[in-house]
Amino acid sequence: MKDRMISAGKVTLRPKQLEDAWNDYTWRTDPELATLDATVPTSQSFEVFFLYYREELRAPSPWSQRYSIVTSDDKHIGNCMTYDINIGLGEAEIGIMIGNRDYWDQSYGYDSIIALVDHLFTSTNLKRLYLHTLTWNSRARKCFEKCGFMFRQTEIKDDKSFALMDIYRNQWMKVRDEKLLCTNRI
């Protein structure tokens, strides 16, 4: 994926670029987005953030991959990622954030997850993808369920309640064409 663009519906996932740093910084300092991501807003200056950002692009971890979510007119509206990649177990965790509120509730998250899941299950040997989302985040949970993820259990971490959801390769392959066709709406 490092050199590939992956599209589904209204979005393309592309490799992260230095030009994404300002949007990512803006989203990481936003208190509402931090709450939705179960974190605290970053207090770093942009200059310090940029130094770390640039270094991460130069020497990415082999256990994670980060992608920018862009619209058909190449507007960077969010990010998604695969992390904690465990080749031995054949699984990885995924995450997503649509940082630009103008694109909320318009299926951009759905299209992004479908693109990422399809890419991971058709180009790797991963057998299971999972995610954690806050139990009270009904909008995110509804999106993940629509993409085929199943709720498995509630987990408590740092006094926050998370829904563990997952999808298996064999499940995905059964519904793949239906889900991909759903991303071709106008």
Side-chain angles (χ1 to χ4, degrees), residues 127-145:
K127 297 177 222 152
R128 175 181 175 250
L129 299 174
Y130 64 95
L131 59 87
H132 292 87
T133 191
L134 292 159
T135 54
W136 55 262
N137 191 343
S138 58
R139 184 174 65 221
R141 289 182 67 175
K142 181 179 174 185
C143 175
F144 298 135
E145 288 169 356

Side-chain angles (χ1 to χ4, degrees), residues 88-91 121 124-129 167-170:
L89 293 176
E91 63 184 27
F121 281 148
T124 73
N125 291 324
L126 294 174
K127 297 177 222 152
R128 175 181 175 250
L129 299 174
I167 188 168
Y168 287 84
R169 175 194 297 274
N170 61 351

